[in-house]
Amino acid sequence: MKFLNRFGFTSARESTSRSRRKFLRNLAQAGMLLPLAGPLLGQKVFAATGSAQRVLFLYYPNGVVPYNWVPQQGPGSISGSQELSFGLGPLSSWHNRLIVLQNMTLDIGAGAGAHYNDMRGILTGNNAIGYESASIDHLIAEQLGNEGVLSLGVRTGNRSDIMISKPRNVDSAARPIPNNDPADAAQKLSVGISGGGAGGGTGGSDPDRQAYYEAILNDFDSLADATLENAQRDKLTLHENALKRLRDLAGNQVGECSFNTNVMRDPHYASSTPLSPSEWQMFPHLARAQVDNIVGAFSCGLNRVATLQLSKGDENGNLVNYSYDECWQMAQTAISQGIQHSSDSGTVGPITRWYNEFASHSASHRPGDVPHTAQVRWYHSLLAYTLQQLENKGLLDDTLVVMFSEVGDGSKHGGAAGAVTLAGGAGGALQMGRIINCGDGINNGQRIYGTHQLFGDVARYLGVGALPEAHWSGGVV
């Protein structure tokens, strides 16, 4: 290399030094901007946080079909990217970003016996929670800042007593109904980033700031290639993602800080009239639109805690019919793999007629049935979509997604043998890519870990200290 240098070639060391000098020069130019990182994003961008910066609680109804959901691998590290089970199949490419929690006790409170009683206790730890208490999402949000919880839903119905999220000083039977209209939610969030709404805003475009950030970002690749080991490069990637978000915040509602208000509206979320087949087809599009709204709010720093309630636990067929095409195709895949409906379904004619008639409420009471299995796979495909959207925005590494249902072992309404999935990361502090067995899998059987402990862990990984309710204890992950 010394000989080549005499003729004008650059050594690796000189290239490294030049990359560092250029990087530091651009960093210095933007130095006046860096202190704004925390207020804009609600996080410490340029230091290793060791904790998650945001959390999404993602609820789906009816539990799972255990023997079509439980991972084929045993507890421990996930060994590869093959499908863990039929229900978890859509998450195969995200295996290193998952913690699958099987046989977890769902702490929903004493006396729960119907779906709506179960579901209203899942985030409170008690279905008879008092007026002054709050669900875990609100308890976390209270300690993170003043943004509150972004509460969205898809066809949840209009009964306040069956909503899973409960603010403080609200009667348990009068819980607020989440916003079920993606277009309306997007419009409200857009107000939040235009300078006049809750959560603040960018106050207009600043081309100079954008240029500074672009200059720094242009140096990241060469700096990483020239100087960093794998662990350091991973840390730099976190900073690079944060810079991308700052760059877009410096614009005028561009990039991550924009919301698509041109999405479908759903007038049927509280309807008592049976929906038409074309209206069934809206459900997956509405669900993805609400995910997009949540990811957008996270990207813009409007909220750090969100709850998405997908339908409700008594599975009213007037709100959701799982005969929409995406779920139907998953049912056909299940059949092709030898998964069949249970023998107690009776003789109902061809599979098409059977599926349409039993795709809704009945599925939750026939845990071996193809429709229920297909529902579970579809909901986990929505989780995969959520992870992809978070990764696209540079948010996945420091976001936690907690996916759960309200019933345990599929056929009974008890809380044992629940299925919960953690996804994302926690600023590098949480080891992902694991399967944890939390109990013996028998209804009302031996308890090892429950959602009281898990949600206490989630709060801790969000940097939240002691919670007012002692039952959020931690100790699972």
Side-chain angles (χ1 to χ4, degrees), residues 116-130 133-135 158-167 170-178 309:
Y116 71 88
N117 279 332
D118 295 347
M119 67 189 299
R120 71 178 181 178
I122 192 66
L123 287 184
T124 62
N126 181 356
N127 65 337
I129 187 173
S133 297
S135 52
N158 57 0
R159 286 183 52 178
S160 294
D161 63 328
I162 64 172
M163 301 303 145
I164 63 172
S165 184
K166 180 192 176 300
V170 171
D171 188 81
S172 193
R175 304 181 185 201
I177 297 170
Q309 178 171 334

Side-chain angles (χ1 to χ4, degrees), residues 125-394:
N126 181 356
N127 65 337
I129 187 173
Y131 175 83
E132 296 180 354
S133 297
S135 52
I136 188 67
D137 51 344
H138 285 276
L139 293 177
I140 292 173
E142 286 175 358
Q143 297 196 40
L144 292 185
N146 59 4
E147 301 96 345
V149 176
L150 176 59
S151 181
L152 301 181
V154 181
R155 292 184 178 168
T156 62
N158 57 0
R159 286 183 52 178
S160 294
D161 63 328
I162 64 172
M163 301 303 145
I164 63 172
S165 184
K166 180 192 176 300
R168 193 181 298 280
N169 298 328
V170 171
D171 188 81
S172 193
R175 304 181 185 201
I177 297 170
N179 191 328
N180 277 255
D181 185 344
D184 181 70
Q187 181 62 44
K188 288 181 169 66
L189 290 167
S190 295
V191 172
I193 63 171
S194 63
T202 62
S205 177
D206 190 332
D208 290 337
R209 287 187 182 184
Q210 286 184 300
Y212 284 136
Y213 291 130
E214 288 288 358
I216 297 172
L217 286 166
N218 287 339
D219 293 335
F220 263 80
D221 288 340
S222 59
L223 182 70
D225 292 340
T227 67
L228 300 180
E229 302 296 333
N230 287 338
Q232 294 172 307
R233 189 174 293 113
D234 289 342
K235 186 179 293 186
L236 191 65
T237 298
L238 291 174
H239 300 333
E240 182 178 12
N241 289 335
L243 276 170
K244 288 177 180 177
R245 298 199 295 275
L246 284 170
R247 175 199 61 195
D248 292 314
L249 280 165
N252 185 17
Q253 300 184 36
V254 298
E256 277 88 341
C257 270
S258 62
F259 293 90
N260 181 14
T261 59
N262 187 29
V263 296
M264 64 182 67
R265 296 182 179 275
D266 182 19
H268 308 291
Y269 72 89
S271 175
S272 60
T273 304
L275 304 183
S276 69
S278 64
E279 291 163 341
W280 300 341
Q281 299 297 330
M282 294 176 65
F283 186 79
H285 303 288
L286 293 166
R288 284 191 285 267
Q290 294 291 48
V291 167
D292 293 344
N293 281 332
I294 289 169
V295 173
F298 283 168
S299 298
C300 298
L302 297 178
N303 295 88
R304 295 178 64 186
V305 181
T307 300
L308 177 57
Q309 178 171 334
L310 299 168
S311 188
K312 57 178 186 169
D314 67 359
E315 205 49 77
N316 186 331
N318 293 334
L319 297 176
V320 183
N321 187 312
Y322 292 96
S323 295
Y324 52 79
D325 291 344
E326 293 179 19
C327 198
W328 168 254
Q329 291 301 322
M330 291 181 179
Q332 303 314 299
T333 301
I335 293 171
S336 71
Q337 295 185 14
I339 297 173
Q340 296 292 335
H341 59 279
S342 55
S343 59
D344 66 343
S345 299
T347 303
V348 293
I351 187 66
T352 301
R353 176 171 172 262
W354 171 82
Y355 183 79
N356 286 334
E357 290 184 358
F358 289 88
S360 193
H361 182 80
S362 297
S364 65
H365 294 271
R366 292 179 170 84
D369 282 352
V370 172
H372 194 183
T373 295
Q375 291 169 28
V376 170
R377 186 175 176 95
W378 184 85
Y379 280 121
H380 287 79
S381 75
L382 182 68
L383 175 56
Y385 175 83
T386 303
L387 300 181
Q388 185 64 64
Q389 296 307 105
L390 287 167
E391 183 174 70
N392 291 346
K393 308 301 184 185

Side-chain angles (χ1 to χ4, degrees), residues 436-448:
I436 299 176
N437 187 4
C438 300
D440 63 4
I442 301 172
N443 198 53
N444 298 321
Q446 180 183 359
R447 174 196 176 102
I448 299 177

